[in-house]
Amino acid sequence: MSKITRTLVRRRLLLLLLAGITITFILMIRLGYVQFALGGWLTEEAEDSWSRDLPFEAERGEILDRNGEVLATNVSAPSVLVVPRQIVNPAESAAQLAEILEAEEQEIYEQITESSSIVRINPAGRKIEQERASKVRAQRLPGVYIVEDNKRHYPQGEHLAHVLGFAGIDNQGLTGLEKYYDERLQGQSGYVSFFSDAQGQRLPDMADQYEAPQNGMDVRLTINDQVQTIMERELDIAEASYNPDGALAIAMDPDNGEILGMSSRPHFNPDNYQAVSPEIYNQNRPIWATYEPGSTFKIITLASALEEEEVDLDEDRFHDPGYIEVAGQRLRCWKKGGHGDQTFLEVVQNSCNPGFVALGERLGTERLFDYIHQFGFGEQTGIDMDGEGTGILFDEENVGPLERSTTAFGQGVSVTPIQQVAAVAAAVNGGTLYQPYVAKDWLDPDSGLVVDSQTPIEKRDIISEDTSAEVRRALEHVVAQGTGSGAFVDGYRVGGKTGTAQKAQGGRYLENNHIVSFIGFAPADDPEIVVYVAVDNPKDTMQFGGVVAAPIVGEIIEDSLQAMDVPKRDNQVEKELTWSDVPYLDVPDVTGLTLRELHDANYPLNIEVSGEGEEIYRQSPAAGERVEEGSTIRLYMGDKSTASD
Amino acid sequence: MRENKQTIDGILLFSICALLIIGVIMVYSASAAWGEYRFSDPFYFAKRQLLFAGVGCLGMVFMMRIGYWTWRHYVITSLIVCFTLLIVVLIPGVGLIRGGAQSWIGIGAFSIQPSEFMKLGMILFLAHWLASRQQQVASFRTGMLPLLAIIFAAFALIMLQPDLGTGAVMVVTSFIMLFIAGARKSHFALLGAVGAAGFVGLIASAPYRMDRIMSFFDPWSDPLGSGFQIIQSLYAIGPGGLFGMGFGESRQKYFYLPEPQTDFIFAVIAEEGGFIAGIVVILLFGIIMWRGIRTALLSPDLFGTLLAIGIVGMFFVQVLINIGVVIGLFPVTGITLPLLSYGGSSLTLMLIALGLLLNISAHTRIT
């Protein structure tokens, strides 16, 4: 080996050594980079890949009425779970499960032989009845387990069905409040996670982590279950009596926009929503339906004219010949021949169309439409439910005298029931428009404490307190002495307005097919409730709101106010009696009298006597209460000595 | 040329033994779960590794005791044997297929990998040839071309298995030896160009190689497919931190890492022993590299120099590729980590080669 070669080899070897040392350092630096710079992130990722989560379902929040009555809750419904690796005889197990669960054997077989660690038998084995679960348990099939699960239950059945909506098989809200507030009701599911090897076996010496589920919040609604029950009962009767195409009712507290009751017909049972077509459960008519309001809309015209001081109800007079000429067209009053000469209070009482055309004329297009918008028509009320309608108003640009005139008495516009309720509430509550709402308080499911509350949402002040009082007076007269007499409730000072809307189809009005409605409130001195009822195309009756809808509203108001402990008033506008009306009288004090003395007094009442003794020592109803003539009063007999005990 | 009777390089021997012991222990830790799962014996792999280490040590001691120049007589014979084995392993029904490559000959556990033998056979052959014809190495036609033909023939046979990792180690080792022997730089430039073209061709010929390279740049683009091994390896190393999870506490060895006791043993070491253990192991490899090159430098003859650099080159190239893969510097390639990875042929042959190196170290000149 030459000297030159030796030097070359030596130089190249040293070069190689340098390269080797450099590589050694690069390896060490890279190792440090992975372990320190990337270490944190890699550790998190690795822990994710090691951990296996077993979900713990959160319990869905309950829905309660304003007094705590349960409207939607959860009931235990077990599910069948299978660990395929533990199944001994798949064919036989599938056959037995299929028989109990009433499912296809092939389908079950495929599910229990899946290459997965845990399989839920779906859908046949999900949320099944307890009996079925016991049968499965009794088979003692290896690898087949029954686990606790729960499903939604609506204890009130059809009541409030559209408002509540329903939740699906995975406890997810599908319609109604269940959907609108799904996120809050749902809660957050928890899990147990354990570290596992790549084959799913538990790793030794690693602690389990438990993340408790966060149950969904309970919600307390503004709904009063008693009012709701009364409302549903009345609509049941109406449906039985008139066989209508549909019906709806809303009750609201005019002082804050809280919905007290809401019903839509046809209705359904949320526990069994599959039994009806989606059209039925998707259409919550009280907020969804839009139609011509008819005369109920006159309340808006009236309130506007009063606020603008364009009319004095008692002093100003109007002559109705049965029609009014507007822009060369004759607009007819509903009464043939007209109402003749009348005060404007009587115009309201009689629901006289030409009279309202005159009010509209006094206001002018601009002011009338400004009020209509102010009262919330033409926009959604913003109620906390999905599927609210908007309604249609005339485009103000195109409003001529004719359009203004029909609008003034509620034709040619289209509104939703909830808009009318909110607007009328504003007209009678002192002039403030509130946003209607249903969800009132959110409660922590464990402590029951209120976590979040919805306070009344004031939108705007529209008319003065004085104007509002005048509107109430006029509408009380409508019920006591006018077209709304069917809604009269003795002592509760009901005010209101009828409506008979023509249904349009293909640009024409239908013959003998109306939506008859009535909107009422009570008591007129300080309204506690506004109730709106509409019946779509009632059969075998005169299709007038006063005939069909007003009595329903009267019943709802009477029973509801009693349920709400609202005291009766004694300074009402007395009812103008017709031949069919029965007079009222104050119950006399008869205690201390003998039966003979009572007979001599000759009260127009039936009596029912119970107990032994000479004298009446107690009576029901008490003295001073108002009852219809011919009512029965109950008398309890006793001796003076016993009475003094 | 003067020879002195000396003892073998103690530092080199110590480093080899230290790594060998670490290897057996870590093979146990890394393979316990797999051994339990597949053979109901957590010691299954460890026991066999101990056996391989024993056989390998016998081989090493044997090589240490025989003057390295003795082997010059058997160079041609061993090369022919190695080529024969490489051809035999390709015969259908004779070669055993494991992990997609037909690389083994033998029955069950007692099987050998001809390509491992070829690595050593090629080193011996090149050292002998280059030492005898040193002057010709500067000539392309008479010096380089015949050698390149032989190297390429061996590489082609290995690629037919296919085993790119072993083939690449053999080629790179051969080039290191050519470089040390004094081959011209211009020839290397040419070889580099040809090699790059061949590399591209090889990648194009097998789509899985392209996947591996792509997954190297972004393993998370296909975490359950081509990126799986890199990701699992990083999941082992990352949580290791400075001191590691502790011996036996690896989680990734529980079936997340595909073969924790062979190609990814370093990942388990860095997971259980942390950065400290990783550095110790890399340093031990570095020391062997240093003492090996030192042995080459001080070797009394060119054959010894080339033999030493061939052995240490093969050794360190495998270290670089294996650890590089495990810590995410290289795309996944099936290369064992010398002295640490589980494996019969690779461990015994590596120990035999190191025995040879130790023998050379015993004959170094005093400078």
Side-chain angles (χ1 to χ4, degrees):
Chain A
M1 191 153 49
S2 67
K3 184 97 178 153
I4 303 165
T5 311
R6 188 174 288 281
T7 319
L8 177 76
V9 168
R10 191 183 167 77
R11 206 174 61 227
R12 290 196 171 179
L13 278 173
L14 287 172
L15 209 63
L16 215 56
L17 180 62
L18 196 67
I21 291 169
T22 312
I23 288 167
T24 307
F25 275 105
I26 289 175
L27 292 181
M28 291 197 288
I29 290 165
R30 169 72 188 180
L31 178 65
Y33 177 73
V34 171
Q35 295 200 299
F36 301 123
L38 303 180
W41 172 70
L42 283 171
T43 306
E44 265 174 41
E45 295 282 311
E47 276 178 358
D48 267 5
S49 97
W50 299 328
S51 61
R52 299 284 186 279
D53 293 347
L54 299 177
F56 269 49
E57 293 293 326
E59 204 164 306
R60 199 170 170 80
E62 292 194 325
I63 303 180
L64 312 169
D65 94 327
R66 64 188 301 126
N67 299 315
E69 199 68 39
V70 177
L71 304 177
T73 183
N74 308 301
V75 291
S76 149
S79 287
V80 183
L81 215 126
V82 170
V83 179
R85 286 206 190 103
Q86 300 175 356
I87 299 266
V88 178
N89 187 337
E92 205 175 290
S93 303
Q96 292 186 19
L97 283 175
E99 201 195 316
I100 299 169
L101 301 175
E102 291 170 24
E104 282 291 314
E105 194 179 321
Q106 184 57 30
E107 203 177 304
I108 301 273
Y109 181 81
E110 276 164 23
Q111 293 192 29
I112 67 174
T113 50
E114 254 175 51
S115 65
S116 166
S117 54
I118 297 172
V119 177
R120 279 173 192 275
I121 302 294
N122 206 7
R126 290 205 58 192
K127 309 198 172 178
I128 57 176
E129 301 87 351
Q130 291 289 358
E131 300 159 40
R132 235 182 260 261
S134 317
K135 276 188 197 165
V136 173
R137 216 178 263 129
Q139 298 292 323
R140 297 185 178 282
L141 295 169
V144 176
Y145 300 93
I146 301 291
V147 295
E148 266 316 304
D149 220 338
N150 58 64
K151 74 174 177 192
R152 210 59 166 157
H153 172 55
Y154 303 88
Q156 314 280 347
E158 285 95 348
H159 286 193
L160 204 65
H162 286 91
V163 174
L164 294 175
F166 48 82
I169 185 97
D170 293 314
N171 283 344
Q172 79 283 28
L174 294 179
T175 67
L177 293 175
E178 294 274 30
K179 182 181 174 211
Y180 194 87
Y181 288 116
D182 195 31
E183 212 170 296
R184 293 178 115 179
L185 289 167
Q186 214 169 36
Q188 194 100 45
S189 49
Y191 54 86
V192 170
S193 78
F194 61 88
F195 284 139
S196 114
D197 66 25
Q199 296 171 337
Q201 302 293 321
R202 202 170 269 261
L203 276 181
D205 308 325
M206 297 285 291
D208 291 350
Q209 287 179 350
Y210 176 64
E211 181 78 40
Q214 180 69 49
N215 287 341
M217 276 193 270
D218 294 341
V219 61
R220 193 153 61 202
L221 303 182
T222 59
I223 299 292
N224 182 327
D225 185 52
Q226 289 171 295
V227 173
Q228 185 70 30
T229 304
I230 293 160
M231 181 182 278
E232 301 281 4
R233 182 195 72 206
E234 290 303 321
L235 288 190
D236 284 345
I237 296 170
E239 279 195 306
S241 317
Y242 301 119
N243 188 28
D245 295 350
L248 64 91
I250 305 172
M252 192 179 96
D253 185 337
D255 290 329
N256 47 29
E258 291 181 359
I259 299 294
L260 300 171
M262 187 179 277
S263 180
S264 180
R265 302 301 174 99
H267 63 173
F268 65 98
N269 186 335
D271 275 337
N272 191 20
Y273 64 89
Q274 297 94 337
V276 300
S277 77
E279 240 166 72
I280 290 178
Y281 59 66
N282 280 332
Q283 294 176 357
N284 185 17
R285 290 168 182 245
I287 62 164
W288 169 81
T290 61
Y291 49 86
E292 218 174 51
S295 304
T296 50
F297 203 68
K298 290 171 182 165
I299 298 172
I300 307 307
T301 310
L302 170 68
S304 313
L306 286 170
E307 177 71 9
E308 294 294 318
E309 293 175 357
E310 291 293 351
V311 66
D312 183 315
L313 294 181
D314 300 313
E315 300 300 319
D316 293 0
R317 301 191 75 80
F318 179 77
H319 180 77
D320 169 30
Y323 62 88
I324 190 166
E325 293 248 4
V326 177
Q329 289 235 21
R330 273 194 177 192
L331 296 174
R332 293 188 180 284
C333 188
W334 61 273
K335 187 176 178 184
K336 276 211 173 90
H339 293 96
D341 184 56
Q342 47 189 341
T343 64
F344 266 96
L345 185 62
E346 283 164 328
V347 164
V348 178
Q349 275 173 223
N350 296 330
S351 195
C352 172
N353 287 351
F356 278 91
V357 171
L359 288 180
E361 208 169 305
R362 292 186 189 185
L363 279 164
T365 304
E366 198 181 310
R367 280 195 291 172
L368 177 63
F369 273 77
D370 182 48
Y371 275 104
I372 289 171
H373 282 121
Q374 287 231 36
F375 272 106
F377 294 101
E379 63 178 28
Q380 293 183 337
T381 64
I383 189 169
D384 46 350
M385 281 185 237
D386 285 327
E388 197 187 347
T390 312
I392 306 161
L393 302 178
F394 281 119
D395 191 352
E396 228 176 303
E397 315 263 297
N398 305 326
V399 173
L402 189 62
E403 286 79 13
R404 182 190 65 220
S405 302
T406 60
T407 301
F409 58 87
Q411 283 186 14
V413 292
S414 154
V415 302
T416 65
I418 191 71
Q419 282 174 341
Q420 297 186 62
V421 170
V424 170
V428 302
N429 71 5
T432 309
L433 184 69
Y434 287 95
Q435 177 172 318
Y437 64 102
V438 188
K440 189 175 165 67
D441 296 319
W442 290 94
L443 314 174
D444 182 283
D446 302 318
S447 67
L449 295 175
V450 175
V451 192
D452 188 16
S453 280
Q454 181 61 60
T455 48
I457 307 151
E458 253 185 75
K459 283 182 151 174
R460 54 190 159 263
D461 290 329
I462 307 164
I463 55 173
S464 70
E465 172 57 53
D466 287 349
T467 306
S468 183
E470 189 67 354
V471 172
R472 293 199 295 269
R473 182 173 77 92
L475 295 179
E476 191 182 1
H477 275 87
V478 170
V479 172
Q481 297 173 358
T483 50
S485 62
F488 185 82
V489 179
D490 188 59
Y492 269 144
R493 302 193 60 180
V494 178
K497 188 76 198 75
T498 55
T500 304
Q502 285 175 282
K503 283 162 76 177
Q505 201 174 61
R508 311 180 79 183
Y509 286 120
L510 296 173
E511 290 283 327
N512 296 322
N513 189 342
H514 301 85
I515 295 175
V516 298
S517 62
F518 188 86
I519 189 155
F521 61 89
D525 53 326
D526 178 18
E528 301 284 354
I529 193 169
V530 174
V531 176
Y532 177 80
V533 167
V535 180
D536 183 358
N537 193 19
K539 314 294 189 311
D540 308 321
T541 178
M542 300 226 301
Q543 292 196 342
F544 282 116
V547 176
V548 177
I552 303 174
V553 170
E555 294 288 347
I556 294 174
I557 286 182
E558 176 170 20
D559 291 355
S560 296
L561 289 185
Q562 256 161 25
M564 290 159 68
D565 288 328
V566 174
K568 290 204 172 186
R569 313 297 208 250
D570 43 20
N571 53 346
Q572 63 181 358
V573 178
E574 286 302 332
K575 188 167 186 181
E576 207 167 76
L577 294 184
T578 63
W579 59 270
S580 63
D581 283 316
V582 185
Y584 285 77
L585 82 163
D586 291 339
V587 176
D589 185 357
V590 294
T591 52
L593 301 181
T594 63
L595 282 183
R596 174 173 289 273
E597 285 168 327
L598 182 65
H599 280 300
D600 290 344
N602 210 3
Y603 293 114
L605 292 166
N606 295 321
I607 57 168
E608 206 181 282
V609 182
S610 58
E612 301 281 325
E614 288 289 305
E615 287 179 2
I616 300 165
Y617 84 93
R618 242 172 70 197
Q619 67 179 74
S620 170
E625 292 215 9
R626 284 174 67 89
V627 295
E628 282 180 7
E629 267 182 29
S631 300
T632 302
I633 70 167
R634 214 171 255 118
L635 303 175
Y636 301 88
M637 308 305 290
D639 291 325
K640 268 203 170 115
S641 52
T642 39
S644 60
D645 280 349
Chain B
M1 225 182 286
R2 203 161 43 92
E3 281 181 28
N4 297 67
K5 270 286 172 200
Q6 273 182 274
T7 51
I8 54 165
D9 185 337
I11 297 175
L12 188 56
L13 183 60
F14 169 81
S15 303
I16 292 167
C17 291
L19 281 168
L20 196 58
I21 292 165
I22 292 174
V24 173
I25 293 170
M26 289 316 295
V27 162
Y28 161 67
S29 176
S31 68
W34 273 108
E36 175 71 43
Y37 176 63
R38 277 175 47 193
F39 304 104
S40 307
D41 178 9
F43 293 99
Y44 178 86
F45 292 100
K47 283 192 286 199
R48 296 164 60 83
Q49 179 76 346
L50 201 58
L51 179 70
F52 298 144
V55 171
C57 282
L58 286 180
M60 183 171 75
V61 170
F62 177 73
M63 297 307 281
M64 271 159 57
R65 291 180 172 276
I66 294 176
Y68 64 89
W69 54 85
T70 318
W71 303 107
R72 292 188 80 155
H73 305 299
Y74 307 106
V75 159
I76 303 298
T77 323
S78 67
L79 189 68
I80 290 168
V81 168
C82 287
F83 267 108
T84 313
L85 285 173
L86 278 183
I87 292 164
V88 168
V89 79
L90 293 174
I91 299 170
V94 178
L96 305 173
I97 299 175
R98 289 182 195 164
Q102 191 166 341
S103 306
W104 280 265
I105 302 176
I107 311 153
F110 295 97
S111 50
I112 58 163
Q113 253 181 300
S115 51
E116 292 286 343
F117 284 84
M118 180 46 111
K119 283 191 297 189
L120 190 54
M122 184 62 75
I123 290 168
L124 272 169
F125 167 73
L126 285 177
H128 169 69
W129 177 288
L130 290 168
S132 320
R133 299 175 170 78
Q134 206 273 325
Q135 279 76 15
Q136 292 178 21
V137 83
S139 148
F140 190 76
R141 207 170 54 81
T142 59
M144 291 289 274
L145 209 54
L147 292 180
L148 290 176
I150 292 170
I151 294 167
F152 181 77
F155 178 70
L157 285 172
I158 293 173
M159 284 315 295
L160 285 174
Q161 298 180 357
D163 186 352
L164 177 62
T166 307
V169 170
M170 188 202 69
V171 169
V172 174
T173 307
S174 303
F175 284 4
I176 289 172
M177 292 176 75
L178 288 173
F179 175 71
I180 297 302
R184 283 169 187 264
K185 282 177 186 155
S186 57
H187 294 166
F188 272 104
L190 186 68
L191 278 181
V194 172
F199 189 63
V200 170
L202 280 175
I203 287 167
S205 72
Y208 77 90
R209 294 193 185 115
M210 194 63 205
D211 283 350
R212 282 184 178 182
I213 288 173
M214 290 318 292
S215 68
F216 164 67
F217 288 112
D218 183 14
W220 273 269
S221 67
D222 186 10
L224 294 178
S226 53
F228 182 78
Q229 298 195 0
I230 292 178
I231 291 175
Q232 295 307 326
S233 180
L234 294 178
Y235 281 176
I237 297 169
L242 185 58
F243 298 108
M245 302 275 202
F247 179 68
E249 296 296 315
S250 161
R251 281 165 209 160
Q252 285 295 93
K253 69 186 181 189
Y254 286 99
F255 317 114
Y256 289 101
L257 280 169
E259 285 200 53
Q261 70 275 22
T262 55
D263 290 357
F264 288 95
I265 186 109
F266 186 77
V268 178
I269 292 172
E271 185 183 9
E272 297 194 345
F275 183 65
I276 306 246
I279 289 293
V280 166
V281 166
I282 292 174
L283 277 178
L284 285 171
F285 282 127
I287 289 168
I288 291 174
M289 182 267 302
W290 162 48
R291 298 308 288 189
I293 291 178
R294 181 180 171 276
T295 301
L297 266 171
L298 301 180
S299 170
D301 57 5
L302 190 55
F303 176 67
T305 299
L306 290 171
L307 193 55
I309 204 65
I311 291 165
V312 85
M314 169 180 77
F315 180 88
F316 201 65
V317 166
Q318 284 193 209
V319 169
L320 169 65
I321 295 179
N322 179 282
I323 296 184
V325 167
V326 168
I327 63 184
L329 279 178
F330 291 131
V332 172
T333 327
I335 289 279
T336 56
L337 187 57
L339 301 175
L340 296 181
S341 286
Y342 171 81
S345 295
S346 61
L347 181 62
T348 44
L349 277 163
M350 187 55 76
L351 283 169
I352 285 168
L354 290 171
L356 211 48
L357 182 64
L358 284 165
N359 182 269
I360 301 168
S361 77
H363 298 89
T364 47
R365 290 170 294 115
I366 290 174
T367 46

